[in-house]
Amino acid sequence: AYEFKGTFDGQGHSISGVYLSTEYSYGSIFGGVGGSAKIKNFILENSYFTISGKPYFGAIIGRINNSSANVSLTDITVADTVLLEEGSADVKYVGGFVGRIEKGKLTSNNCHFNGTVSFPNGEHITGFVGQAAGGTTVVFNNCHGTGTVIAKDYVAELSVYTDTTTKTNN
């Protein structure tokens, strides 16, 4: 019911040692995000997330679901961070940064992923955006990833899983 629509500036600081175990959708640091939200300038490191039962999970954003959303991620590093399936749940839409963008636009600038996203029973599992629904726009500028991504189906390694989304990779 509530979306983060403001600006979060980590001012170059690190967020370290986050442990989150949830069965709820959008259980990310920023669950639902919309408007012209700007999330920037920090490192999320040495953190551990376990998810069971529900869709839409990313280390940074769970879901973007607003046709007027113009969300930006800038100068963010997710390092030595693990996202794991708990139990044998059929989890969907998990990304190292964003679980799912259903409507709107996401622009990522200078974002880097180095970690593990392991959901052997899951679908739409990636290192950046779990799924971008048709009609959305995803732009990557100077982003890269290293690490491991494991899924049952619809895996896009360190990118975005999409059907009909406009994608720009620079």
Side-chain angles (χ1 to χ4, degrees):
Y2 301 100
E3 291 182 333
F4 177 78
K5 296 179 181 178
T7 298
F8 176 85
D9 185 346
Q11 299 177 345
H13 293 284
S14 293
I15 301 170
S16 183
V18 174
Y19 172 75
L20 176 63
S21 179
T22 186
E23 62 182 50
Y24 297 104
S25 295
Y26 330 125
S28 311
I29 292 176
F30 295 91
V33 175
S36 293
K38 292 174 180 47
I39 302 171
K40 59 186 181 176
N41 300 323
F42 67 95
I43 298 169
L44 173 64
E45 62 184 348
N46 300 317
S47 295
Y48 188 82
F49 300 90
T50 60
I51 303 97
S52 64
K54 299 287 182 176
Y56 315 121
F57 192 90
I60 308 299
I61 297 173
R63 179 174 81 157
I64 299 168
N65 184 26
N66 184 322
S67 58
S68 64
N70 188 7
V71 175
S72 67
L73 300 174
T74 303
D75 296 320
I76 300 172
T77 297
V78 176
D80 299 321
T81 294
V82 176
L83 289 82
L84 290 176
E85 177 179 77
E86 189 171 83
S88 60
D90 183 17
V91 178
K92 293 181 181 178
Y93 315 122
V94 177
F97 277 86
V98 178
R100 187 169 194 223
I101 176 171
E102 294 179 354
K103 298 177 186 171
K105 179 180 181 179
L106 170 69
T107 302
S108 297
N109 301 298
N110 302 314
C111 291
H112 310 287
F113 178 82
N114 176 10
T116 300
V117 183
S118 180
F119 288 79
N121 296 304
E123 297 178 353
H124 304 281
I125 312 296
T126 74
F128 276 98
V129 178
Q131 187 192 43
T136 62
T137 300
V138 178
V139 178
F140 289 111
N141 295 306
N142 194 34
C143 297
H144 77 272
T146 58
T148 303
V149 178
I150 299 167
K152 175 177 73 176
D153 209 353
Y154 305 109
V155 62
E157 299 191 26
L158 295 166
S159 185
V160 177
Y161 181 83
T162 182
D163 292 318
T164 59
T165 293
T166 301
K167 293 187 295 184
T168 304
N169 292 300
N170 297 317

